[in-house]
Amino acid sequence: MRRNRHTLLWNLAFVLVLVGIGFFIYKSSLKINYSWNWRAVPSYLVYKAQQEIDSPVQGIVKGFKNGKVVIETIKGNIVAFKVEHPTLKKGAVVDAGDEIGYNTSYKAGPLLMGLYMTIKVSVVSIIMALVIGLITGLMRISDNPLFKNLSTVYIEIIRGTPLLVQIFIVYFFIGTLFNMTRFIAGAFALAVFEGAYIAEIIRAGIQSIPRGQTEASLALGMNYFQIMRYIIIPQAFKRVLPALAGQFISLIKDSSLLSVISITELTKAGREVVASTFSPFEVWFTVAALYFVVTYSLSLLDRYLERRLAGDE
Amino acid sequence: MSDNGDYIIVAENVNKTYPNGVKALRDVSLKVKKGEVVVIIGASGSGKTTFLRTINQLETVDAGKIIVEGVDVTDPKTNLTKIRADIGMVFQHFNVFPHLTVLENVMLAQILVRKRKKEEARQIAMEFLTKVGIADKKDEYPTNLSGGQKQRVAIARALAMHPKIMLFDEATSALDPEMVGGILDIMKQLAREGKTMVVVTHEMGFAREAADRIVYMDSGKIIEMGTPEEIFNNPKTDRLKQFLSQIL
Ligand SMILES: Nc1ncnc2c1ncn2[C@@H]1O[C@H](COP(=O)(O)OP(=O)(O)OP(=O)(O)O)[C@@H](O)[C@H]1O
Ligand SMILES: [Mg+2]
């Protein structure tokens, strides 16, 4: 009972601290005469687009019915066009090509488009990174010096150089050499980078599986690939799931660097919006929140999977 | 090799030194007949496990030869997966697959190695799970089983491959005392059914009762070999006498 009250108090303190930080940010912005304009922000996510409707025929507007504009053509035919917001009055004369009104529809704003690109490039990249990581992870623990050394060199070089430089190299050198699109080059550069870390995660995971598992499988007559596929990797995967999820989250965040090769992902979209609106605070907070929604969803998914897989441990 | 026709396992002058320099096997030679039950005894570190593991080549040899069912398993060109499928092995620490249910544990290698259809594999799995007395646990994961139950799964998993030979490496050493009897009973029954078995154990009662032949090893060598009667009642070497006096 007493304990409960204490937790409640501390949780209250937690909320107060958060509010305090928010208030501090707000106060600080006042000091530099920043004028907040949150109202514009939603339109960077979703906005209502107007689409002008032109009359394809010449005639006279006879009236409006069921959201349609009814026009009698000069030949005497009656035709109707779907127009949500007519701009003409009854009896107006229209030429072919004259505007008769407009329709509205919701369109993704630049930030949402950027988010979509971030997710798209991340998903493609994660798949490539997993493949690269799995192969080089297996090479790392192989007895064959060729495989072992190749993978070691790859991992060391990737881990010892900045991602930004790697992106430039992949984009300008490898990308040009193999005529890659911007998107593929970007996704590939990220995958090559994260793949090195995933390889180490996978290597550690595989090596954490007791030797007896392999021996029992060998004794049953299974071959290397069967043992990896059915015995070792499924067990290792479960163990490295949290580390893998962490790496995927890093990858999503690192994808912001792809803005340097003009992939319009979330960060680049944010920069473009800031350039045209002069609302850097709102935009960058929004961009951060969008990243967070994605990464946090991923860590929730990871927790869910861990709990589900825990059943047979 | 014609004089080896009756033998299902023929080991000739097997030598093995581990990379750390330990000489685990010195000129070990042993022939096992079809249907024979050979029990290997000896002090800790005498090379029993190492020898057992050379039979299915979980351990390579430095010199000597091992012929199993007429196939030289020590020849680098031999396809080991094929011969290993014919040699069941039961480990001290069970080595059941923790991510698979009991039934899946027993089915997997049947499907992957024996290329059996799922339904057939399931039937065979159930047959052997019933035989070792844990058919009712078929849908459990190993983590919910006791050591004795895990070892039963491991035995069923090996038997379901219909192996010609069964190797047991201290199958009861990691078990709680009350579980030992049940596993030994299963092994005795297999012996009575005429399975060819090579058994490393510290259970002298089992050796006396089930062995056709007992092999005594010390420091990587076979020191004495004979029927249970000869080994227990008439040990010839001082080393065996001393070993028996310590253990009995
Ligand atoms: N993988 C290994 N690497 C190095 N030395 C080993 C290895 N396995 C066993 N040895 C050594 O080889 C010798 C024989 O070991 P082995 O396990 O075959 O004996 P054992 O008779 O089975 O003993 P125990 O009754 O304790 O199981 C021992 O000295 C042991 O320390
Ligand atoms: Mg041993």
Side-chain angles (χ1 to χ4, degrees), chain A residues 48-80:
Chain A
K48 232 181 190 166
Q50 292 188 359
Q51 195 198 354
E52 189 181 292
I53 309 288
D54 297 337
S55 171
V57 296
Q58 198 178 3
I60 296 171
V61 177
K62 298 294 284 182
F64 310 97
K65 219 168 92 187
N66 305 333
K68 288 180 175 175
V69 175
V70 183
I71 294 174
E72 183 181 354
T73 65
I74 43 168
K75 287 180 191 148
N77 297 329
I78 304 287
V79 287

PDB file of all heavy atoms in Angstrom, chain A residues 48-80:
ATOM      1  N   LYS A  48      -5.668  18.703 -48.455  1.00  0.00           N
ATOM      2  CA  LYS A  48      -6.792  18.571 -49.366  1.00  0.00           C
ATOM      3  C   LYS A  48      -6.382  19.173 -50.693  1.00  0.00           C
ATOM      4  O   LYS A  48      -6.073  20.364 -50.756  1.00  0.00           O
ATOM      5  CB  LYS A  48      -7.970  19.374 -48.807  1.00  0.00           C
ATOM      6  CG  LYS A  48      -9.250  18.594 -48.705  1.00  0.00           C
ATOM      7  CD  LYS A  48     -10.330  19.512 -48.162  1.00  0.00           C
ATOM      8  CE  LYS A  48     -11.576  18.741 -47.812  1.00  0.00           C
ATOM      9  NZ  LYS A  48     -12.485  19.552 -46.986  1.00  0.00           N
ATOM     10  N   ALA A  49      -6.378  18.375 -51.737  1.00  0.00           N
ATOM     11  CA  ALA A  49      -5.978  18.905 -53.037  1.00  0.00           C
ATOM     12  C   ALA A  49      -7.230  19.208 -53.857  1.00  0.00           C
ATOM     13  O   ALA A  49      -8.213  18.485 -53.800  1.00  0.00           O
ATOM     14  CB  ALA A  49      -5.110  17.882 -53.758  1.00  0.00           C
ATOM     15  N   GLN A  50      -7.172  20.351 -54.588  1.00  0.00           N
ATOM     16  CA  GLN A  50      -8.288  20.677 -55.480  1.00  0.00           C
ATOM     17  C   GLN A  50      -7.912  20.287 -56.896  1.00  0.00           C
ATOM     18  O   GLN A  50      -6.809  20.559 -57.341  1.00  0.00           O
ATOM     19  CB  GLN A  50      -8.561  22.183 -55.455  1.00  0.00           C
ATOM     20  CG  GLN A  50      -9.104  22.646 -54.130  1.00  0.00           C
ATOM     21  CD  GLN A  50      -9.549  24.082 -54.177  1.00  0.00           C
ATOM     22  OE1 GLN A  50      -9.438  24.742 -55.206  1.00  0.00           O
ATOM     23  NE2 GLN A  50     -10.077  24.555 -53.063  1.00  0.00           N
ATOM     24  N   GLN A  51      -8.853  19.631 -57.522  1.00  0.00           N
ATOM     25  CA  GLN A  51      -8.578  19.276 -58.900  1.00  0.00           C
ATOM     26  C   GLN A  51      -9.617  19.937 -59.787  1.00  0.00           C
ATOM     27  O   GLN A  51     -10.822  19.706 -59.674  1.00  0.00           O
ATOM     28  CB  GLN A  51      -8.652  17.750 -59.048  1.00  0.00           C
ATOM     29  CG  GLN A  51      -8.041  17.273 -60.345  1.00  0.00           C
ATOM     30  CD  GLN A  51      -8.494  15.877 -60.680  1.00  0.00           C
ATOM     31  OE1 GLN A  51      -9.175  15.228 -59.890  1.00  0.00           O
ATOM     32  NE2 GLN A  51      -8.135  15.415 -61.858  1.00  0.00           N
ATOM     33  N   GLU A  52      -9.139  20.780 -60.656  1.00  0.00           N
ATOM     34  CA  GLU A  52     -10.034  21.565 -61.515  1.00  0.00           C
ATOM     35  C   GLU A  52     -10.699  20.658 -62.546  1.00  0.00           C
ATOM     36  O   GLU A  52     -10.068  19.775 -63.113  1.00  0.00           O
ATOM     37  CB  GLU A  52      -9.179  22.607 -62.245  1.00  0.00           C
ATOM     38  CG  GLU A  52      -9.956  23.634 -63.013  1.00  0.00           C
ATOM     39  CD  GLU A  52      -8.991  24.590 -63.721  1.00  0.00           C
ATOM     40  OE1 GLU A  52      -8.312  25.355 -63.003  1.00  0.00           O
ATOM     41  OE2 GLU A  52      -8.908  24.528 -64.953  1.00  0.00           O
ATOM     42  N   ILE A  53     -12.017  20.867 -62.729  1.00  0.00           N
ATOM     43  CA  ILE A  53     -12.731  20.080 -63.740  1.00  0.00           C
ATOM     44  C   ILE A  53     -13.105  21.006 -64.896  1.00  0.00           C
ATOM     45  O   ILE A  53     -13.739  22.037 -64.691  1.00  0.00           O
ATOM     46  CB  ILE A  53     -14.032  19.475 -63.165  1.00  0.00           C
ATOM     47  CG1 ILE A  53     -13.763  18.731 -61.858  1.00  0.00           C
ATOM     48  CG2 ILE A  53     -14.701  18.574 -64.203  1.00  0.00           C
ATOM     49  CD1 ILE A  53     -13.039  17.452 -62.008  1.00  0.00           C
ATOM     50  N   ASP A  54     -12.700  20.618 -66.088  1.00  0.00           N
ATOM     51  CA  ASP A  54     -13.050  21.429 -67.262  1.00  0.00           C
ATOM     52  C   ASP A  54     -14.160  20.743 -68.042  1.00  0.00           C
ATOM     53  O   ASP A  54     -14.238  19.522 -68.096  1.00  0.00           O
ATOM     54  CB  ASP A  54     -11.814  21.575 -68.176  1.00  0.00           C
ATOM     55  CG  ASP A  54     -10.699  22.320 -67.470  1.00  0.00           C
ATOM     56  OD1 ASP A  54     -10.999  23.066 -66.518  1.00  0.00           O
ATOM     57  OD2 ASP A  54      -9.530  22.116 -67.847  1.00  0.00           O
ATOM     58  N   SER A  55     -14.966  21.541 -68.632  1.00  0.00           N
ATOM     59  CA  SER A  55     -16.043  20.969 -69.442  1.00  0.00           C
ATOM     60  C   SER A  55     -15.481  20.488 -70.772  1.00  0.00           C
ATOM     61  O   SER A  55     -14.781  21.233 -71.452  1.00  0.00           O
ATOM     62  CB  SER A  55     -17.113  22.036 -69.713  1.00  0.00           C
ATOM     63  OG  SER A  55     -18.031  21.526 -70.658  1.00  0.00           O
ATOM     64  N   PRO A  56     -15.786  19.263 -71.150  1.00  0.00           N
ATOM     65  CA  PRO A  56     -15.299  18.777 -72.447  1.00  0.00           C
ATOM     66  C   PRO A  56     -16.201  19.232 -73.598  1.00  0.00           C
ATOM     67  O   PRO A  56     -15.873  19.019 -74.759  1.00  0.00           O
ATOM     68  CB  PRO A  56     -15.324  17.247 -72.282  1.00  0.00           C
ATOM     69  CG  PRO A  56     -16.294  16.986 -71.187  1.00  0.00           C
ATOM     70  CD  PRO A  56     -16.508  18.243 -70.395  1.00  0.00           C
ATOM     71  N   VAL A  57     -17.324  19.818 -73.244  1.00  0.00           N
ATOM     72  CA  VAL A  57     -18.277  20.162 -74.319  1.00  0.00           C
ATOM     73  C   VAL A  57     -18.669  21.638 -74.241  1.00  0.00           C
ATOM     74  O   VAL A  57     -18.434  22.308 -73.249  1.00  0.00           O
ATOM     75  CB  VAL A  57     -19.567  19.313 -74.220  1.00  0.00           C
ATOM     76  CG1 VAL A  57     -19.248  17.848 -74.437  1.00  0.00           C
ATOM     77  CG2 VAL A  57     -20.264  19.531 -72.874  1.00  0.00           C
ATOM     78  N   GLN A  58     -19.313  22.089 -75.284  1.00  0.00           N
ATOM     79  CA  GLN A  58     -19.835  23.451 -75.337  1.00  0.00           C
ATOM     80  C   GLN A  58     -21.322  23.380 -75.058  1.00  0.00           C
ATOM     81  O   GLN A  58     -21.995  22.475 -75.555  1.00  0.00           O
ATOM     82  CB  GLN A  58     -19.591  23.988 -76.760  1.00  0.00           C
ATOM     83  CG  GLN A  58     -19.669  25.462 -76.887  1.00  0.00           C
ATOM     84  CD  GLN A  58     -19.353  25.893 -78.316  1.00  0.00           C
ATOM     85  OE1 GLN A  58     -19.128  25.070 -79.191  1.00  0.00           O
ATOM     86  NE2 GLN A  58     -19.371  27.187 -78.551  1.00  0.00           N
ATOM     87  N   GLY A  59     -21.848  24.292 -74.237  1.00  0.00           N
ATOM     88  CA  GLY A  59     -23.285  24.223 -73.982  1.00  0.00           C
ATOM     89  C   GLY A  59     -23.727  25.158 -72.871  1.00  0.00           C
ATOM     90  O   GLY A  59     -23.037  26.106 -72.533  1.00  0.00           O
ATOM     91  N   ILE A  60     -24.876  24.789 -72.275  1.00  0.00           N
ATOM     92  CA  ILE A  60     -25.460  25.632 -71.226  1.00  0.00           C
ATOM     93  C   ILE A  60     -25.709  24.770 -69.993  1.00  0.00           C
ATOM     94  O   ILE A  60     -26.178  23.646 -70.099  1.00  0.00           O
ATOM     95  CB  ILE A  60     -26.806  26.245 -71.694  1.00  0.00           C
ATOM     96  CG1 ILE A  60     -26.564  27.189 -72.876  1.00  0.00           C
ATOM     97  CG2 ILE A  60     -27.520  26.980 -70.553  1.00  0.00           C
ATOM     98  CD1 ILE A  60     -27.835  27.665 -73.552  1.00  0.00           C
ATOM     99  N   VAL A  61     -25.336  25.359 -68.821  1.00  0.00           N
ATOM    100  CA  VAL A  61     -25.576  24.616 -67.571  1.00  0.00           C
ATOM    101  C   VAL A  61     -27.061  24.609 -67.300  1.00  0.00           C
ATOM    102  O   VAL A  61     -27.685  25.656 -67.132  1.00  0.00           O
ATOM    103  CB  VAL A  61     -24.810  25.283 -66.409  1.00  0.00           C
ATOM    104  CG1 VAL A  61     -25.121  24.564 -65.098  1.00  0.00           C
ATOM    105  CG2 VAL A  61     -23.313  25.280 -66.690  1.00  0.00           C
ATOM    106  N   LYS A  62     -27.626  23.389 -67.250  1.00  0.00           N
ATOM    107  CA  LYS A  62     -29.060  23.277 -67.029  1.00  0.00           C
ATOM    108  C   LYS A  62     -29.392  23.148 -65.551  1.00  0.00           C
ATOM    109  O   LYS A  62     -30.490  23.490 -65.134  1.00  0.00           O
ATOM    110  CB  LYS A  62     -29.640  22.046 -67.756  1.00  0.00           C
ATOM    111  CG  LYS A  62     -29.480  22.085 -69.254  1.00  0.00           C
ATOM    112  CD  LYS A  62     -30.282  23.202 -69.876  1.00  0.00           C
ATOM    113  CE  LYS A  62     -31.767  22.834 -69.931  1.00  0.00           C
ATOM    114  NZ  LYS A  62     -32.521  23.931 -70.603  1.00  0.00           N
ATOM    115  N   GLY A  63     -28.459  22.647 -64.785  1.00  0.00           N
ATOM    116  CA  GLY A  63     -28.749  22.493 -63.346  1.00  0.00           C
ATOM    117  C   GLY A  63     -27.778  21.516 -62.705  1.00  0.00           C
ATOM    118  O   GLY A  63     -26.789  21.099 -63.320  1.00  0.00           O
ATOM    119  N   PHE A  64     -28.098  21.140 -61.450  1.00  0.00           N
ATOM    120  CA  PHE A  64     -27.223  20.248 -60.678  1.00  0.00           C
ATOM    121  C   PHE A  64     -28.035  19.103 -60.111  1.00  0.00           C
ATOM    122  O   PHE A  64     -29.135  19.326 -59.594  1.00  0.00           O
ATOM    123  CB  PHE A  64     -26.555  21.034 -59.539  1.00  0.00           C
ATOM    124  CG  PHE A  64     -25.911  22.312 -60.023  1.00  0.00           C
ATOM    125  CD1 PHE A  64     -26.569  23.546 -59.925  1.00  0.00           C
ATOM    126  CD2 PHE A  64     -24.644  22.262 -60.628  1.00  0.00           C
ATOM    127  CE1 PHE A  64     -25.996  24.694 -60.383  1.00  0.00           C
ATOM    128  CE2 PHE A  64     -24.080  23.433 -61.087  1.00  0.00           C
ATOM    129  CZ  PHE A  64     -24.747  24.657 -60.965  1.00  0.00           C
ATOM    130  N   LYS A  65     -27.504  17.896 -60.221  1.00  0.00           N
ATOM    131  CA  LYS A  65     -28.251  16.741 -59.729  1.00  0.00           C
ATOM    132  C   LYS A  65     -27.271  15.694 -59.189  1.00  0.00           C
ATOM    133  O   LYS A  65     -26.309  15.336 -59.879  1.00  0.00           O
ATOM    134  CB  LYS A  65     -29.073  16.134 -60.891  1.00  0.00           C
ATOM    135  CG  LYS A  65     -30.462  15.658 -60.434  1.00  0.00           C
ATOM    136  CD  LYS A  65     -31.367  15.336 -61.623  1.00  0.00           C
ATOM    137  CE  LYS A  65     -31.263  13.892 -62.012  1.00  0.00           C
ATOM    138  NZ  LYS A  65     -31.998  13.612 -63.257  1.00  0.00           N
ATOM    139  N   ASN A  66     -27.490  15.229 -57.972  1.00  0.00           N
ATOM    140  CA  ASN A  66     -26.668  14.183 -57.358  1.00  0.00           C
ATOM    141  C   ASN A  66     -25.172  14.463 -57.466  1.00  0.00           C
ATOM    142  O   ASN A  66     -24.390  13.589 -57.792  1.00  0.00           O
ATOM    143  CB  ASN A  66     -26.936  12.824 -58.001  1.00  0.00           C
ATOM    144  CG  ASN A  66     -28.400  12.450 -57.971  1.00  0.00           C
ATOM    145  OD1 ASN A  66     -29.135  12.905 -57.081  1.00  0.00           O
ATOM    146  ND2 ASN A  66     -28.832  11.670 -58.938  1.00  0.00           N
ATOM    147  N   GLY A  67     -24.777  15.724 -57.232  1.00  0.00           N
ATOM    148  CA  GLY A  67     -23.360  16.054 -57.298  1.00  0.00           C
ATOM    149  C   GLY A  67     -22.835  16.135 -58.712  1.00  0.00           C
ATOM    150  O   GLY A  67     -21.638  16.080 -58.945  1.00  0.00           O
ATOM    151  N   LYS A  68     -23.751  16.189 -59.665  1.00  0.00           N
ATOM    152  CA  LYS A  68     -23.309  16.286 -61.052  1.00  0.00           C
ATOM    153  C   LYS A  68     -23.784  17.591 -61.658  1.00  0.00           C
ATOM    154  O   LYS A  68     -24.821  18.136 -61.286  1.00  0.00           O
ATOM    155  CB  LYS A  68     -23.875  15.123 -61.874  1.00  0.00           C
ATOM    156  CG  LYS A  68     -23.211  13.795 -61.538  1.00  0.00           C
ATOM    157  CD  LYS A  68     -23.804  12.683 -62.387  1.00  0.00           C
ATOM    158  CE  LYS A  68     -23.056  11.388 -62.138  1.00  0.00           C
ATOM    159  NZ  LYS A  68     -23.673  10.266 -62.837  1.00  0.00           N
ATOM    160  N   VAL A  69     -22.991  18.066 -62.614  1.00  0.00           N
ATOM    161  CA  VAL A  69     -23.405  19.256 -63.352  1.00  0.00           C
ATOM    162  C   VAL A  69     -24.030  18.773 -64.663  1.00  0.00           C
ATOM    163  O   VAL A  69     -23.435  17.978 -65.378  1.00  0.00           O
ATOM    164  CB  VAL A  69     -22.185  20.158 -63.659  1.00  0.00           C
ATOM    165  CG1 VAL A  69     -22.605  21.332 -64.522  1.00  0.00           C
ATOM    166  CG2 VAL A  69     -21.540  20.631 -62.363  1.00  0.00           C
ATOM    167  N   VAL A  70     -25.256  19.244 -64.919  1.00  0.00           N
ATOM    168  CA  VAL A  70     -25.947  18.821 -66.138  1.00  0.00           C
ATOM    169  C   VAL A  70     -25.822  19.927 -67.186  1.00  0.00           C
ATOM    170  O   VAL A  70     -26.124  21.080 -66.912  1.00  0.00           O
ATOM    171  CB  VAL A  70     -27.436  18.534 -65.851  1.00  0.00           C
ATOM    172  CG1 VAL A  70     -28.132  18.021 -67.100  1.00  0.00           C
ATOM    173  CG2 VAL A  70     -27.566  17.532 -64.697  1.00  0.00           C
ATOM    174  N   ILE A  71     -25.330  19.548 -68.354  1.00  0.00           N
ATOM    175  CA  ILE A  71     -25.122  20.542 -69.413  1.00  0.00           C
ATOM    176  C   ILE A  71     -25.869  20.104 -70.672  1.00  0.00           C
ATOM    177  O   ILE A  71     -25.841  18.928 -71.038  1.00  0.00           O
ATOM    178  CB  ILE A  71     -23.602  20.672 -69.732  1.00  0.00           C
ATOM    179  CG1 ILE A  71     -22.868  21.247 -68.512  1.00  0.00           C
ATOM    180  CG2 ILE A  71     -23.378  21.572 -70.966  1.00  0.00           C
ATOM    181  CD1 ILE A  71     -21.366  21.266 -68.670  1.00  0.00           C
ATOM    182  N   GLU A  72     -26.545  21.073 -71.269  1.00  0.00           N
ATOM    183  CA  GLU A  72     -27.174  20.780 -72.564  1.00  0.00           C
ATOM    184  C   GLU A  72     -26.234  21.296 -73.643  1.00  0.00           C
ATOM    185  O   GLU A  72     -25.870  22.469 -73.667  1.00  0.00           O
ATOM    186  CB  GLU A  72     -28.538  21.467 -72.676  1.00  0.00           C
ATOM    187  CG  GLU A  72     -29.227  21.115 -73.979  1.00  0.00           C
ATOM    188  CD  GLU A  72     -30.584  21.794 -74.127  1.00  0.00           C
ATOM    189  OE1 GLU A  72     -31.044  22.458 -73.171  1.00  0.00           O
ATOM    190  OE2 GLU A  72     -31.169  21.660 -75.219  1.00  0.00           O
ATOM    191  N   THR A  73     -25.780  20.398 -74.508  1.00  0.00           N
ATOM    192  CA  THR A  73     -24.821  20.805 -75.533  1.00  0.00           C
ATOM    193  C   THR A  73     -25.539  21.567 -76.639  1.00  0.00           C
ATOM    194  O   THR A  73     -26.762  21.531 -76.729  1.00  0.00           O
ATOM    195  CB  THR A  73     -24.119  19.587 -76.155  1.00  0.00           C
ATOM    196  OG1 THR A  73     -25.099  18.819 -76.831  1.00  0.00           O
ATOM    197  CG2 THR A  73     -23.445  18.744 -75.095  1.00  0.00           C
ATOM    198  N   ILE A  74     -24.749  22.200 -77.484  1.00  0.00           N
ATOM    199  CA  ILE A  74     -25.386  22.967 -78.548  1.00  0.00           C
ATOM    200  C   ILE A  74     -26.114  22.073 -79.531  1.00  0.00           C
ATOM    201  O   ILE A  74     -27.000  22.516 -80.246  1.00  0.00           O
ATOM    202  CB  ILE A  74     -24.366  23.845 -79.325  1.00  0.00           C
ATOM    203  CG1 ILE A  74     -23.104  23.048 -79.600  1.00  0.00           C
ATOM    204  CG2 ILE A  74     -24.091  25.164 -78.619  1.00  0.00           C
ATOM    205  CD1 ILE A  74     -22.195  23.738 -80.593  1.00  0.00           C
ATOM    206  N   LYS A  75     -25.765  20.786 -79.516  1.00  0.00           N
ATOM    207  CA  LYS A  75     -26.493  19.870 -80.397  1.00  0.00           C
ATOM    208  C   LYS A  75     -27.789  19.390 -79.760  1.00  0.00           C
ATOM    209  O   LYS A  75     -28.534  18.629 -80.356  1.00  0.00           O
ATOM    210  CB  LYS A  75     -25.624  18.645 -80.722  1.00  0.00           C
ATOM    211  CG  LYS A  75     -24.493  18.942 -81.694  1.00  0.00           C
ATOM    212  CD  LYS A  75     -23.678  17.688 -81.974  1.00  0.00           C
ATOM    213  CE  LYS A  75     -22.410  18.024 -82.725  1.00  0.00           C
ATOM    214  NZ  LYS A  75     -21.339  17.103 -82.353  1.00  0.00           N
ATOM    215  N   GLY A  76     -28.008  19.790 -78.507  1.00  0.00           N
ATOM    216  CA  GLY A  76     -29.243  19.419 -77.834  1.00  0.00           C
ATOM    217  C   GLY A  76     -29.130  18.189 -76.967  1.00  0.00           C
ATOM    218  O   GLY A  76     -30.108  17.730 -76.378  1.00  0.00           O
ATOM    219  N   ASN A  77     -27.941  17.600 -76.894  1.00  0.00           N
ATOM    220  CA  ASN A  77     -27.792  16.442 -76.006  1.00  0.00           C
ATOM    221  C   ASN A  77     -27.668  16.904 -74.557  1.00  0.00           C
ATOM    222  O   ASN A  77     -27.133  17.964 -74.283  1.00  0.00           O
ATOM    223  CB  ASN A  77     -26.523  15.662 -76.361  1.00  0.00           C
ATOM    224  CG  ASN A  77     -26.605  15.102 -77.779  1.00  0.00           C
ATOM    225  OD1 ASN A  77     -27.700  14.789 -78.269  1.00  0.00           O
ATOM    226  ND2 ASN A  77     -25.452  14.997 -78.420  1.00  0.00           N
ATOM    227  N   ILE A  78     -28.137  16.048 -73.636  1.00  0.00           N
ATOM    228  CA  ILE A  78     -27.988  16.336 -72.205  1.00  0.00           C
ATOM    229  C   ILE A  78     -26.861  15.446 -71.676  1.00  0.00           C
ATOM    230  O   ILE A  78     -26.912  14.222 -71.816  1.00  0.00           O
ATOM    231  CB  ILE A  78     -29.283  16.016 -71.426  1.00  0.00           C
ATOM    232  CG1 ILE A  78     -30.478  16.784 -72.020  1.00  0.00           C
ATOM    233  CG2 ILE A  78     -29.103  16.299 -69.940  1.00  0.00           C
ATOM    234  CD1 ILE A  78     -30.482  18.262 -71.724  1.00  0.00           C
ATOM    235  N   VAL A  79     -25.843  16.112 -71.106  1.00  0.00           N
ATOM    236  CA  VAL A  79     -24.751  15.325 -70.513  1.00  0.00           C
ATOM    237  C   VAL A  79     -24.544  15.787 -69.083  1.00  0.00           C
ATOM    238  O   VAL A  79     -24.904  16.913 -68.720  1.00  0.00           O
ATOM    239  CB  VAL A  79     -23.435  15.463 -71.307  1.00  0.00           C
ATOM    240  CG1 VAL A  79     -23.508  14.716 -72.623  1.00  0.00           C
ATOM    241  CG2 VAL A  79     -23.093  16.922 -71.510  1.00  0.00           C
ATOM    242  N   ALA A  80     -23.950  14.873 -68.238  1.00  0.00           N
ATOM    243  CA  ALA A  80     -23.724  15.217 -66.829  1.00  0.00           C
ATOM    244  C   ALA A  80     -22.293  14.868 -66.436  1.00  0.00           C
ATOM    245  O   ALA A  80     -21.752  13.863 -66.894  1.00  0.00           O
ATOM    246  CB  ALA A  80     -24.718  14.475 -65.957  1.00  0.00           C
TER     247      ALA A  80
END
